Short mmCIF file of all heavy atoms in Angstrom, two decimals:
data_model
loop_
_atom_site.label_atom_id
_atom_site.label_comp_id
_atom_site.label_asym_id
_atom_site.label_seq_id
_atom_site.Cartn_x
_atom_site.Cartn_y
_atom_site.Cartn_z
N ILE A 69 -73.56 89.96 223.77
CA ILE A 69 -73.55 90.70 225.04
C ILE A 69 -72.20 91.09 225.50
O ILE A 69 -72.06 92.07 226.23
CB ILE A 69 -74.21 89.69 226.17
CG1 ILE A 69 -74.50 90.52 227.37
CG2 ILE A 69 -73.18 88.59 226.41
CD1 ILE A 69 -75.63 91.56 226.98
N THR A 70 -71.12 90.55 224.85
CA THR A 70 -69.66 91.01 225.26
C THR A 70 -69.22 91.97 224.23
O THR A 70 -67.98 92.25 224.33
CB THR A 70 -68.88 89.86 225.36
OG1 THR A 70 -68.85 89.12 224.01
CG2 THR A 70 -69.31 88.83 226.28
N SER A 71 -69.99 92.51 223.35
CA SER A 71 -69.60 93.39 222.32
C SER A 71 -69.09 94.72 222.89
O SER A 71 -69.78 95.34 223.62
CB SER A 71 -70.68 93.63 221.29
OG SER A 71 -70.34 94.63 220.37
N PRO A 72 -68.00 95.36 222.45
CA PRO A 72 -67.57 96.57 222.88
C PRO A 72 -68.59 97.70 222.33
O PRO A 72 -68.62 98.80 222.95
CB PRO A 72 -66.15 96.77 222.21
CG PRO A 72 -66.24 95.83 221.10
CD PRO A 72 -66.99 94.68 221.55
N TYR A 73 -69.31 97.36 221.35
CA TYR A 73 -70.31 98.36 220.89
C TYR A 73 -71.35 98.58 221.92
O TYR A 73 -71.94 99.75 222.00
CB TYR A 73 -71.07 97.88 219.56
CG TYR A 73 -70.16 97.76 218.51
CD1 TYR A 73 -70.00 96.55 217.67
CD2 TYR A 73 -69.44 98.81 217.91
CE1 TYR A 73 -69.02 96.47 216.68
CE2 TYR A 73 -68.59 98.75 216.83
CZ TYR A 73 -68.47 97.54 216.20
OH TYR A 73 -67.72 97.52 215.09
N LEU A 74 -71.65 97.70 222.78
CA LEU A 74 -72.65 97.86 223.84
C LEU A 74 -72.18 98.81 224.92
O LEU A 74 -72.96 99.42 225.71
CB LEU A 74 -72.92 96.53 224.54
CG LEU A 74 -73.88 95.59 223.65
CD1 LEU A 74 -74.23 94.38 224.44
CD2 LEU A 74 -75.17 96.37 223.26
N VAL A 75 -70.84 99.00 225.12
CA VAL A 75 -70.18 99.99 225.99
C VAL A 75 -70.37 101.40 225.28
O VAL A 75 -70.71 102.34 225.93
CB VAL A 75 -68.82 99.61 226.33
CG1 VAL A 75 -68.32 100.65 227.28
CG2 VAL A 75 -68.83 98.28 227.06
N ALA A 76 -69.92 101.43 224.05
CA ALA A 76 -69.84 102.69 223.30
C ALA A 76 -71.18 103.34 222.94
O ALA A 76 -71.31 104.52 223.03
CB ALA A 76 -68.96 102.64 222.13
N PHE A 77 -72.06 102.36 222.70
CA PHE A 77 -73.36 102.84 222.16
C PHE A 77 -74.09 103.74 223.09
O PHE A 77 -74.49 104.89 222.64
CB PHE A 77 -74.29 101.61 221.92
CG PHE A 77 -75.59 101.96 221.20
CD1 PHE A 77 -75.62 101.92 219.79
CD2 PHE A 77 -76.72 102.26 221.86
CE1 PHE A 77 -76.77 102.20 219.08
CE2 PHE A 77 -77.83 102.52 221.18
CZ PHE A 77 -77.93 102.59 219.85
N PRO A 78 -74.33 103.42 224.35
CA PRO A 78 -75.14 104.47 225.18
C PRO A 78 -74.27 105.65 225.58
O PRO A 78 -74.98 106.75 225.70
CB PRO A 78 -75.42 103.61 226.46
CG PRO A 78 -74.30 102.54 226.55
CD PRO A 78 -74.03 102.15 225.11
N LEU A 79 -72.95 105.62 225.64
CA LEU A 79 -72.17 106.76 225.81
C LEU A 79 -72.26 107.77 224.69
O LEU A 79 -72.47 108.95 224.88
CB LEU A 79 -70.71 106.32 226.10
CG LEU A 79 -70.48 105.46 227.28
CD1 LEU A 79 -68.99 105.08 227.39
CD2 LEU A 79 -70.88 106.13 228.67
N VAL A 80 -72.08 107.28 223.48
CA VAL A 80 -72.05 108.19 222.28
C VAL A 80 -73.47 108.61 221.94
O VAL A 80 -73.68 109.84 221.89
CB VAL A 80 -71.47 107.39 221.07
CG1 VAL A 80 -71.65 108.31 219.77
CG2 VAL A 80 -70.03 107.09 221.31
N LEU A 81 -74.42 107.74 221.90
CA LEU A 81 -75.81 108.25 221.53
C LEU A 81 -76.39 109.05 222.63
O LEU A 81 -77.23 109.94 222.43
CB LEU A 81 -76.70 107.01 221.12
CG LEU A 81 -76.66 106.72 219.61
CD1 LEU A 81 -75.45 106.04 219.22
CD2 LEU A 81 -77.90 105.85 219.26
N GLY A 82 -76.15 108.68 223.85
CA GLY A 82 -76.63 109.46 225.05
C GLY A 82 -76.13 110.83 224.96
O GLY A 82 -76.93 111.77 225.30
N ALA A 83 -74.85 110.97 224.78
CA ALA A 83 -74.27 112.38 224.71
C ALA A 83 -74.88 113.09 223.51
O ALA A 83 -75.18 114.39 223.66
CB ALA A 83 -72.80 112.28 224.50
N LEU A 84 -75.05 112.50 222.36
CA LEU A 84 -75.61 113.19 221.26
C LEU A 84 -77.08 113.50 221.45
O LEU A 84 -77.57 114.61 221.06
CB LEU A 84 -75.55 112.24 219.96
CG LEU A 84 -75.83 113.02 218.64
CD1 LEU A 84 -74.91 114.18 218.46
CD2 LEU A 84 -75.64 112.00 217.40
N GLU A 85 -77.89 112.57 222.12
CA GLU A 85 -79.33 112.80 222.28
C GLU A 85 -79.54 113.91 223.30
O GLU A 85 -80.47 114.74 223.14
CB GLU A 85 -79.93 111.54 222.78
CG GLU A 85 -81.45 111.71 222.92
CD GLU A 85 -82.12 110.39 223.28
OE1 GLU A 85 -81.49 109.38 223.45
OE2 GLU A 85 -83.35 110.36 223.50
N ARG A 86 -78.71 114.13 224.27
CA ARG A 86 -78.76 115.26 225.06
C ARG A 86 -78.69 116.58 224.47
O ARG A 86 -79.31 117.59 224.87
CB ARG A 86 -77.79 115.21 226.26
CG ARG A 86 -78.07 114.14 227.35
CD ARG A 86 -76.86 114.19 228.37
NE ARG A 86 -77.08 115.42 229.03
CZ ARG A 86 -76.08 115.93 229.81
NH1 ARG A 86 -74.92 115.32 229.86
NH2 ARG A 86 -76.17 117.06 230.45
N ARG A 87 -77.96 116.59 223.36
CA ARG A 87 -77.75 117.84 222.58
C ARG A 87 -78.73 118.04 221.44
O ARG A 87 -79.18 119.13 221.17
CB ARG A 87 -76.31 117.88 222.00
CG ARG A 87 -75.26 117.97 223.08
CD ARG A 87 -73.84 117.44 222.50
NE ARG A 87 -72.81 117.74 223.38
CZ ARG A 87 -72.41 117.00 224.53
NH1 ARG A 87 -73.18 115.90 224.77
NH2 ARG A 87 -71.38 117.36 225.22
N LEU A 88 -79.20 116.98 220.95
CA LEU A 88 -80.12 117.05 219.73
C LEU A 88 -81.53 116.56 220.00
O LEU A 88 -82.44 117.10 219.18
CB LEU A 88 -79.50 116.20 218.56
CG LEU A 88 -78.19 116.60 217.89
CD1 LEU A 88 -77.87 115.62 216.75
CD2 LEU A 88 -78.35 118.02 217.49
N GLY A 89 -81.74 115.81 220.96
CA GLY A 89 -83.01 115.13 221.13
C GLY A 89 -83.11 113.81 220.43
O GLY A 89 -82.24 113.46 219.66
N GLY A 90 -84.14 113.02 220.83
CA GLY A 90 -84.16 111.65 220.24
C GLY A 90 -84.43 111.59 218.83
O GLY A 90 -83.70 110.73 218.14
N VAL A 91 -85.30 112.40 218.26
CA VAL A 91 -85.66 112.25 216.88
C VAL A 91 -84.46 112.56 215.98
O VAL A 91 -84.14 111.79 214.99
CB VAL A 91 -86.78 113.14 216.45
CG1 VAL A 91 -87.11 113.14 214.98
CG2 VAL A 91 -88.04 112.65 217.24
N ARG A 92 -83.84 113.68 216.20
CA ARG A 92 -82.66 113.97 215.43
C ARG A 92 -81.45 113.05 215.60
O ARG A 92 -80.63 112.76 214.62
CB ARG A 92 -82.30 115.51 215.85
CG ARG A 92 -83.27 116.55 215.31
CD ARG A 92 -82.75 117.99 215.41
NE ARG A 92 -83.78 118.90 214.99
CZ ARG A 92 -84.49 119.58 215.75
NH1 ARG A 92 -84.43 119.47 217.03
NH2 ARG A 92 -85.42 120.43 215.20
N THR A 93 -81.28 112.47 216.72
CA THR A 93 -80.26 111.57 216.95
C THR A 93 -80.53 110.25 216.14
O THR A 93 -79.67 109.75 215.61
CB THR A 93 -80.13 111.12 218.53
OG1 THR A 93 -79.78 112.32 219.24
CG2 THR A 93 -79.05 110.17 218.74
N ALA A 94 -81.86 109.98 216.15
CA ALA A 94 -82.23 108.68 215.34
C ALA A 94 -81.97 109.02 213.87
O ALA A 94 -81.57 108.09 213.15
CB ALA A 94 -83.67 108.39 215.57
N ALA A 95 -82.11 110.27 213.41
CA ALA A 95 -81.98 110.65 212.01
C ALA A 95 -80.44 110.47 211.68
O ALA A 95 -80.09 109.92 210.61
CB ALA A 95 -82.44 112.08 211.85
N VAL A 96 -79.60 110.98 212.54
CA VAL A 96 -78.05 110.77 212.25
C VAL A 96 -77.78 109.32 212.26
O VAL A 96 -77.03 108.89 211.41
CB VAL A 96 -77.31 111.58 213.33
CG1 VAL A 96 -75.88 111.28 213.19
CG2 VAL A 96 -77.58 113.06 213.30
#
Side-chain angles (χ1 to χ4, degrees):
I69 196 65
T70 60
S71 173
Y73 293 123
L74 285 181
V75 177
F77 189 90
L79 297 178
V80 171
L81 267 74
L84 189 62
E85 186 173 0
R86 288 184 62 199
R87 292 162 171 80
L88 293 182
V91 173
R92 293 189 177 102
T93 298
V96 175

